[in-house]
Amino acid sequence: VNLTVLAFLVLYYVVVLAIGAWAMRRGAGDDLEGFLLGGRKVGPLVTALTLQSTSMSGYMFLGAGALAFSHGYWALWYAAGDVGGGVLNLSLIGRRMRKLSQMLGSLTCIEYLERRYPSPATRLIAAGLTVFLLSFYVLAQFIAGGKGMALVTGLPYWVALLVAVAVIIVYTFLGGYLAVAYTDFFQSLVMLVGVLWILAASIAHLGGLGSANRAIAAVDPSLLSVWGRDFVHQGQWGVVLGALLVFSIGYMGWPHVVTRHMACRGRRRRAWRAPTPRSGTCCSCPPLTSSGSWPSSSCPASTTPSWPSSACPRRCCPAP
Amino acid sequence: VFRLPWSTTLLLLGAPLAWILYTLGFLAVSRDWERDEVDEP
């Protein structure tokens, strides 16, 4: 167990739990709208960053790096869609969801659908699909959280999983959506700094972008192509289209993302035009993808896809 | 660029550029949104 990493992790958990307690004292539990939507008073900056933070799932921090480690620059197709997902989401449905959900008095996206399209079947189908699909999604996030924590701390996986899940549940129950939004805000800043740090350190470690790519080519030249290792996806435009769309239009249907629109403060504010998601995703997607490619050049013998997520920062960043 | 094939370079630089242009277009289209909503209840 790395005690320095553990100390920072404990500090991080203390901060998010404190945010949960602060949200509770701020009246998050006074009524249902306060608990579920933060009273629809969450500002544009926090809305923008919580939107991005909640969209940047375990895939982005473990899966994207692993994909790039296995298939090189092919992973850029996913990043290409992901970079614009936030602004597409805000520009197309943000303002509309905020206005319509308030007009219809909806506190959840399922309630919104039920009132927008009145039918007993609407709630049944929407709730059924949400519970079924989000169960797997949330499970994947929990596993990613546990694996990520186990990788960086050296704790057993089951301990890491329990701690990560417990902290999330506690701060969510304490402060409802307000706690979630502000912890997301804090987390997104941590993620942004971390990702940019890894990017800069990786480039410095490998001697520049040109050197990094030359080293990748030495492992397997096909990793530099946009078609994957051994050009396995060459000409598969349907797969390419799926990779582009899954994280660009995919965001718009996620209930936990739609909730961010509904909770944003005042329709007259500039939230829907906030440039933050744009800069946030621009900064995070390519580095995450690239930092998965570059370890393949410095450790070609590794066959563990999750290796880049922990080993790249450990190898490239200065030890604390 | 950076010892990458031209197609990879195009994707690496072209995709962010396309989204930046989209964002600029959106900012232009939505510049009157706040004024439009002043009279709403």
Side-chain angles (χ1 to χ4, degrees), chain A residues 61-87:
Chain A
F61 281 83
L62 292 182
L67 182 66
F69 182 73
S70 306
H71 283 281
Y73 279 91
W74 151 257
L76 272 180
W77 287 113
Y78 291 86
D82 207 352
V83 165
V87 72

mmCIF file of all heavy atoms in Angstrom, chain A residues 61-87:
data_model
loop_
_atom_site.group_PDB
_atom_site.id
_atom_site.type_symbol
_atom_site.label_atom_id
_atom_site.label_comp_id
_atom_site.label_asym_id
_atom_site.label_seq_id
_atom_site.Cartn_x
_atom_site.Cartn_y
_atom_site.Cartn_z
ATOM 1 N N PHE A 61 -11.689 6.928 -18.095
ATOM 2 C CA PHE A 61 -10.433 6.891 -17.343
ATOM 3 C C PHE A 61 -9.777 5.519 -17.336
ATOM 4 O O PHE A 61 -8.590 5.410 -17.063
ATOM 5 C CB PHE A 61 -10.665 7.407 -15.919
ATOM 6 C CG PHE A 61 -10.708 8.908 -15.900
ATOM 7 C CD1 PHE A 61 -11.873 9.577 -16.217
ATOM 8 C CD2 PHE A 61 -9.571 9.636 -15.627
ATOM 9 C CE1 PHE A 61 -11.906 10.955 -16.255
ATOM 10 C CE2 PHE A 61 -9.595 11.008 -15.665
ATOM 11 C CZ PHE A 61 -10.762 11.674 -15.976
ATOM 12 N N LEU A 62 -10.523 4.477 -17.582
ATOM 13 C CA LEU A 62 -9.911 3.139 -17.654
ATOM 14 C C LEU A 62 -10.039 2.568 -19.064
ATOM 15 O O LEU A 62 -9.081 2.088 -19.645
ATOM 16 C CB LEU A 62 -10.575 2.197 -16.656
ATOM 17 C CG LEU A 62 -10.346 2.500 -15.170
ATOM 18 C CD1 LEU A 62 -11.022 1.451 -14.302
ATOM 19 C CD2 LEU A 62 -8.867 2.553 -14.844
ATOM 20 N N GLY A 63 -11.255 2.629 -19.609
ATOM 21 C CA GLY A 63 -11.510 1.993 -20.907
ATOM 22 C C GLY A 63 -10.805 2.664 -22.068
ATOM 23 O O GLY A 63 -10.244 1.985 -22.930
ATOM 24 N N ALA A 64 -10.813 4.004 -22.107
ATOM 25 C CA ALA A 64 -10.211 4.707 -23.243
ATOM 26 C C ALA A 64 -8.711 4.455 -23.302
ATOM 27 O O ALA A 64 -8.157 4.179 -24.373
ATOM 28 C CB ALA A 64 -10.497 6.211 -23.142
ATOM 29 N N GLY A 65 -8.074 4.553 -22.153
ATOM 30 C CA GLY A 65 -6.633 4.274 -22.102
ATOM 31 C C GLY A 65 -6.338 2.842 -22.500
ATOM 32 O O GLY A 65 -5.377 2.565 -23.232
ATOM 33 N N ALA A 66 -7.173 1.924 -22.029
ATOM 34 C CA ALA A 66 -6.973 0.502 -22.343
ATOM 35 C C ALA A 66 -7.183 0.239 -23.836
ATOM 36 O O ALA A 66 -6.446 -0.535 -24.447
ATOM 37 C CB ALA A 66 -7.938 -0.343 -21.510
ATOM 38 N N LEU A 67 -8.196 0.913 -24.404
ATOM 39 C CA LEU A 67 -8.472 0.743 -25.832
ATOM 40 C C LEU A 67 -7.296 1.236 -26.672
ATOM 41 O O LEU A 67 -6.866 0.578 -27.624
ATOM 42 C CB LEU A 67 -9.745 1.513 -26.211
ATOM 43 C CG LEU A 67 -10.204 1.401 -27.660
ATOM 44 C CD1 LEU A 67 -10.638 -0.021 -27.985
ATOM 45 C CD2 LEU A 67 -11.354 2.370 -27.938
ATOM 46 N N ALA A 68 -6.772 2.402 -26.283
ATOM 47 C CA ALA A 68 -5.631 2.953 -27.014
ATOM 48 C C ALA A 68 -4.398 2.081 -26.816
ATOM 49 O O ALA A 68 -3.579 1.938 -27.732
ATOM 50 C CB ALA A 68 -5.356 4.379 -26.546
ATOM 51 N N PHE A 69 -4.261 1.510 -25.652
ATOM 52 C CA PHE A 69 -3.129 0.612 -25.383
ATOM 53 C C PHE A 69 -3.200 -0.609 -26.301
ATOM 54 O O PHE A 69 -2.185 -1.083 -26.814
ATOM 55 C CB PHE A 69 -3.180 0.173 -23.923
ATOM 56 C CG PHE A 69 -2.046 -0.722 -23.515
ATOM 57 C CD1 PHE A 69 -0.765 -0.219 -23.350
ATOM 58 C CD2 PHE A 69 -2.251 -2.070 -23.295
ATOM 59 C CE1 PHE A 69 0.281 -1.038 -22.982
ATOM 60 C CE2 PHE A 69 -1.214 -2.902 -22.921
ATOM 61 C CZ PHE A 69 0.059 -2.383 -22.772
ATOM 62 N N SER A 70 -4.408 -1.098 -26.517
ATOM 63 C CA SER A 70 -4.572 -2.300 -27.342
ATOM 64 C C SER A 70 -4.578 -1.992 -28.831
ATOM 65 O O SER A 70 -4.049 -2.755 -29.629
ATOM 66 C CB SER A 70 -5.900 -3.005 -27.001
ATOM 67 O OG SER A 70 -5.981 -3.253 -25.634
ATOM 68 N N HIS A 71 -5.208 -0.868 -29.210
ATOM 69 C CA HIS A 71 -5.427 -0.595 -30.632
ATOM 70 C C HIS A 71 -4.844 0.725 -31.121
ATOM 71 O O HIS A 71 -5.163 1.163 -32.225
ATOM 72 C CB HIS A 71 -6.922 -0.656 -30.944
ATOM 73 C CG HIS A 71 -7.448 -2.055 -31.034
ATOM 74 N ND1 HIS A 71 -7.282 -2.837 -32.141
ATOM 75 C CD2 HIS A 71 -8.099 -2.822 -30.127
ATOM 76 C CE1 HIS A 71 -7.828 -4.027 -31.931
ATOM 77 N NE2 HIS A 71 -8.323 -4.040 -30.714
ATOM 78 N N GLY A 72 -4.057 1.385 -30.301
ATOM 79 C CA GLY A 72 -3.384 2.604 -30.744
ATOM 80 C C GLY A 72 -4.342 3.734 -31.084
ATOM 81 O O GLY A 72 -5.359 3.921 -30.411
ATOM 82 N N TYR A 73 -4.031 4.463 -32.141
ATOM 83 C CA TYR A 73 -4.792 5.678 -32.472
ATOM 84 C C TYR A 73 -6.199 5.391 -33.012
ATOM 85 O O TYR A 73 -6.952 6.322 -33.265
ATOM 86 C CB TYR A 73 -4.003 6.527 -33.479
ATOM 87 C CG TYR A 73 -2.927 7.355 -32.816
ATOM 88 C CD1 TYR A 73 -1.635 6.866 -32.674
ATOM 89 C CD2 TYR A 73 -3.202 8.610 -32.308
ATOM 90 C CE1 TYR A 73 -0.647 7.613 -32.057
ATOM 91 C CE2 TYR A 73 -2.227 9.369 -31.692
ATOM 92 C CZ TYR A 73 -0.952 8.866 -31.568
ATOM 93 O OH TYR A 73 0.020 9.618 -30.950
ATOM 94 N N TRP A 74 -6.565 4.155 -33.134
ATOM 95 C CA TRP A 74 -7.954 3.813 -33.478
ATOM 96 C C TRP A 74 -8.901 4.421 -32.442
ATOM 97 O O TRP A 74 -10.005 4.854 -32.767
ATOM 98 C CB TRP A 74 -8.108 2.282 -33.527
ATOM 99 C CG TRP A 74 -9.477 1.789 -33.180
ATOM 100 C CD1 TRP A 74 -9.868 1.229 -31.982
ATOM 101 C CD2 TRP A 74 -10.655 1.804 -33.994
ATOM 102 N NE1 TRP A 74 -11.190 0.904 -32.008
ATOM 103 C CE2 TRP A 74 -11.708 1.243 -33.240
ATOM 104 C CE3 TRP A 74 -10.921 2.241 -35.287
ATOM 105 C CZ2 TRP A 74 -12.998 1.101 -33.733
ATOM 106 C CZ3 TRP A 74 -12.222 2.101 -35.765
ATOM 107 C CH2 TRP A 74 -13.229 1.539 -35.015
ATOM 108 N N ALA A 75 -8.438 4.471 -31.178
ATOM 109 C CA ALA A 75 -9.278 4.995 -30.094
ATOM 110 C C ALA A 75 -9.654 6.454 -30.308
ATOM 111 O O ALA A 75 -10.578 6.958 -29.662
ATOM 112 C CB ALA A 75 -8.563 4.824 -28.753
ATOM 113 N N LEU A 76 -8.936 7.133 -31.215
ATOM 114 C CA LEU A 76 -9.273 8.543 -31.471
ATOM 115 C C LEU A 76 -10.682 8.713 -32.042
ATOM 116 O O LEU A 76 -11.281 9.771 -31.914
ATOM 117 C CB LEU A 76 -8.269 9.159 -32.447
ATOM 118 C CG LEU A 76 -6.993 9.770 -31.860
ATOM 119 C CD1 LEU A 76 -6.139 10.311 -32.990
ATOM 120 C CD2 LEU A 76 -7.329 10.882 -30.882
ATOM 121 N N TRP A 77 -11.213 7.694 -32.712
ATOM 122 C CA TRP A 77 -12.577 7.806 -33.245
ATOM 123 C C TRP A 77 -13.559 8.056 -32.102
ATOM 124 O O TRP A 77 -14.499 8.832 -32.236
ATOM 125 C CB TRP A 77 -12.972 6.531 -33.993
ATOM 126 C CG TRP A 77 -12.297 6.353 -35.320
ATOM 127 C CD1 TRP A 77 -11.383 5.404 -35.656
ATOM 128 C CD2 TRP A 77 -12.482 7.143 -36.506
ATOM 129 N NE1 TRP A 77 -10.983 5.551 -36.957
ATOM 130 C CE2 TRP A 77 -11.647 6.607 -37.514
ATOM 131 C CE3 TRP A 77 -13.267 8.254 -36.814
ATOM 132 C CZ2 TRP A 77 -11.573 7.129 -38.793
ATOM 133 C CZ3 TRP A 77 -13.197 8.776 -38.108
ATOM 134 C CH2 TRP A 77 -12.365 8.219 -39.064
ATOM 135 N N TYR A 78 -13.352 7.373 -30.984
ATOM 136 C CA TYR A 78 -14.225 7.574 -29.821
ATOM 137 C C TYR A 78 -14.018 8.978 -29.248
ATOM 138 O O TYR A 78 -14.972 9.667 -28.898
ATOM 139 C CB TYR A 78 -13.926 6.526 -28.740
ATOM 140 C CG TYR A 78 -14.341 5.130 -29.123
ATOM 141 C CD1 TYR A 78 -13.498 4.305 -29.867
ATOM 142 C CD2 TYR A 78 -15.583 4.629 -28.751
ATOM 143 C CE1 TYR A 78 -13.879 3.033 -30.241
ATOM 144 C CE2 TYR A 78 -15.975 3.342 -29.111
ATOM 145 C CZ TYR A 78 -15.117 2.550 -29.862
ATOM 146 O OH TYR A 78 -15.502 1.286 -30.223
ATOM 147 N N ALA A 79 -12.752 9.382 -29.160
ATOM 148 C CA ALA A 79 -12.445 10.712 -28.622
ATOM 149 C C ALA A 79 -13.019 11.805 -29.509
ATOM 150 O O ALA A 79 -13.492 12.832 -29.022
ATOM 151 C CB ALA A 79 -10.937 10.878 -28.481
ATOM 152 N N ALA A 80 -13.014 11.573 -30.835
ATOM 153 C CA ALA A 80 -13.503 12.587 -31.777
ATOM 154 C C ALA A 80 -14.977 12.902 -31.522
ATOM 155 O O ALA A 80 -15.405 14.058 -31.596
ATOM 156 C CB ALA A 80 -13.299 12.112 -33.209
ATOM 157 N N GLY A 81 -15.764 11.881 -31.209
ATOM 158 C CA GLY A 81 -17.166 12.121 -30.881
ATOM 159 C C GLY A 81 -17.307 12.695 -29.486
ATOM 160 O O GLY A 81 -18.120 13.585 -29.235
ATOM 161 N N ASP A 82 -16.491 12.210 -28.588
ATOM 162 C CA ASP A 82 -16.594 12.603 -27.186
ATOM 163 C C ASP A 82 -16.249 14.079 -26.970
ATOM 164 O O ASP A 82 -16.844 14.755 -26.131
ATOM 165 C CB ASP A 82 -15.635 11.732 -26.368
ATOM 166 C CG ASP A 82 -16.101 11.585 -24.933
ATOM 167 O OD1 ASP A 82 -17.061 12.279 -24.568
ATOM 168 O OD2 ASP A 82 -15.519 10.783 -24.198
ATOM 169 N N VAL A 83 -15.292 14.573 -27.747
ATOM 170 C CA VAL A 83 -14.868 15.972 -27.588
ATOM 171 C C VAL A 83 -16.052 16.929 -27.716
ATOM 172 O O VAL A 83 -16.175 17.902 -26.974
ATOM 173 C CB VAL A 83 -13.781 16.313 -28.645
ATOM 174 C CG1 VAL A 83 -13.587 17.808 -28.759
ATOM 175 C CG2 VAL A 83 -12.473 15.652 -28.266
ATOM 176 N N GLY A 84 -16.959 16.636 -28.635
ATOM 177 C CA GLY A 84 -18.079 17.550 -28.849
ATOM 178 C C GLY A 84 -19.365 17.145 -28.159
ATOM 179 O O GLY A 84 -20.377 17.847 -28.270
ATOM 180 N N GLY A 85 -19.334 16.019 -27.432
ATOM 181 C CA GLY A 85 -20.559 15.531 -26.803
ATOM 182 C C GLY A 85 -21.192 16.547 -25.861
ATOM 183 O O GLY A 85 -22.405 16.750 -25.861
ATOM 184 N N GLY A 86 -20.352 17.212 -25.075
ATOM 185 C CA GLY A 86 -20.864 18.166 -24.086
ATOM 186 C C GLY A 86 -21.570 19.343 -24.718
ATOM 187 O O GLY A 86 -22.699 19.698 -24.353
ATOM 188 N N VAL A 87 -20.932 19.936 -25.712
ATOM 189 C CA VAL A 87 -21.524 21.130 -26.321
ATOM 190 C C VAL A 87 -22.748 20.757 -27.169
ATOM 191 O O VAL A 87 -23.732 21.505 -27.245
ATOM 192 C CB VAL A 87 -20.472 21.917 -27.142
ATOM 193 C CG1 VAL A 87 -20.110 21.215 -28.415
ATOM 194 C CG2 VAL A 87 -20.963 23.313 -27.438
#
